[in-house]
Amino acid sequence: MTAQDPAAPRTADGDHRPGGAHRDGTQETLAKAARENFPVAPRFLPAAWRDDLMAVYGYARLVDDIGDGDLAPGGDDARWLGVAPEHAEDRTALLDAVEADVRRVCAAAGAPGDAEPPRHPLLRALRPAVRRHGLAPGPFLALIEANRLDQHRRTYATWDDLLAYCELSANPVGHLVLAVTGTTSPERVRRSDAVCTALQVVEHLQDVAEDFGRGRVYLPAEDMDRFGVRERDLAAPSAPAAVRTLVAFEAERSRVLLDEGVPLVGSVSGRLRLLLAGFTGGGRAALHAIAAAHHDVLAGPPRAGRLTLLREMTAVLAAARRGSPR
């Protein structure tokens, strides 16, 4: 079934729903939500929020998959984006094409019926969310810029350099979640940035070996020097003591950032509070898994189980009840 098939599920205003994207071959992209450290769009949320959050996730996952060279084989994504077959493996060309599609999404949301529609089905699924919430292109473009950076930058000298990268690669997602749920405020954005940065760093810690295999090292060079870690150590089948000590150091930094997000959870109510507790608790659960593996992230990515996630979510909710500055 093609992306234009009229039988595909649609929203009330005629756009394809993210949940129906499996019909046009994007199921694999959306299915990756189940492998994240946190719940992306759990069923307890209102249906409209779920649709919009999954649309945002589908877009972010598509951009990351392009940047990492993880697109499904067959060239469907390149074809949808209008990229010539001979450039279907050119990540820069694909990212440029996604940027053009983002601009089509935003133009179409501002002038329904007049602007050229987006080409990729995941971008078409994003259009209702952009229209309903007046989402600006900035966060979407920042995610593209982060993946452009990944094409030519393989190391980060300092912790501050890594944080600057997370401002592009992670924090915009939090901005979009707040916008979709109608809860944006300067203080919430600040605390959301802390959580999103922490989640990004935690993911990098889990995936040190995988990232190294891609030619990237997200562990700050100054910290590697401090603990006597060399890049060749990251190729070992099991982490030597120096690597474990470095991972424990970065994990503690991430924990501090996650703790900054607890008041964000306390500043909202109802099902949104549960969602944000899931984000923060997911990060804490991943850190628990890393610690349980004795910080050996080279033997395989440590992943938390469902019970650990629920326990950490409960702890975040309890902490949020004790104080919720806005």
Side-chain angles (χ1 to χ4, degrees), residues 134-157:
L135 303 180
F140 299 109
L141 298 178
L143 296 175
I144 294 173
E145 194 57 36
N147 280 274
R148 285 191 177 119
L149 194 61
D150 279 335
Q151 306 315 305
H152 59 80
R153 183 169 187 176
R154 58 178 306 276
T155 62
Y156 292 83

Side-chain angles (χ1 to χ4, degrees), residues 167-181:
E167 288 180 8
L168 297 172
S169 67
N171 298 0
V173 176
H175 301 174
L176 291 168
V177 170
L178 292 176
V180 165
T181 57

Side-chain angles (χ1 to χ4, degrees), residues 39-46 49-50 53 174-185 188 192 261-280 313 316-317 320 326:
V40 172
R43 292 188 179 277
F44 60 73
L45 292 179
W49 279 7
R50 289 203 310 273
L53 291 174
H175 301 174
L176 291 168
V177 170
L178 292 176
V180 165
T181 57
T183 53
T184 301
S185 74
R188 286 183 179 130
S192 171
V262 171
L264 170 64
V265 176
S267 76
V268 299
S269 60
R271 288 176 284 186
L272 179 57
R273 178 176 284 200
L274 291 177
L275 177 68
L276 298 186
F279 292 164
T280 303
M313 282 182 63
V316 170
L317 289 168
R326 296 177 186 271

Side-chain angles (χ1 to χ4, degrees), residues 23-102:
R23 295 175 177 266
D24 51 39
T26 57
Q27 181 184 23
E28 183 176 346
T29 300
L30 293 173
K32 293 180 181 181
R35 301 198 288 272
E36 300 291 347
N37 285 322
F38 48 85
V40 172
R43 292 188 179 277
F44 60 73
L45 292 179
W49 279 7
R50 289 203 310 273
D51 283 347
D52 292 346
L53 291 174
M54 280 304 297
V56 167
Y57 175 81
Y59 169 79
R61 187 72 265 166
L62 171 67
V63 173
D64 281 352
D65 284 351
I66 290 173
D68 290 341
D70 284 343
L71 291 177
D76 283 343
D77 295 284
R79 186 169 59 256
W80 285 325
L81 289 167
V83 175
E86 61 268 26
H87 299 299
E89 303 297 325
D90 185 336
R91 300 180 193 179
T92 299
L94 290 167
L95 291 170
D96 289 347
V98 172
E99 178 176 345
D101 231 19
V102 168

Side-chain angles (χ1 to χ4, degrees), residues 215-249:
R216 302 175 192 160
V217 178
Y218 293 103
L219 299 168
E222 65 177 6
D223 297 340
M224 293 176 66
D225 289 343
R226 174 181 177 180
F227 292 101
V229 174
R230 299 293 177 261
E231 282 197 19
R232 62 177 177 270
D233 297 331
L234 305 182
S238 180
V243 172
R244 297 184 191 212
T245 303
L246 171 59
V247 169
F249 177 75

Side-chain angles (χ1 to χ4, degrees), residues 6 8-20 47-48 51-52 55 124-129 131-132:
R10 293 175 179 265
T11 62
D13 49 7
D15 289 289
H16 293 279
R17 291 186 184 277
D51 283 347
D52 292 346
R124 285 196 293 276
L126 183 63
R127 186 165 57 177
R131 182 183 302 138
R132 274 194 289 268

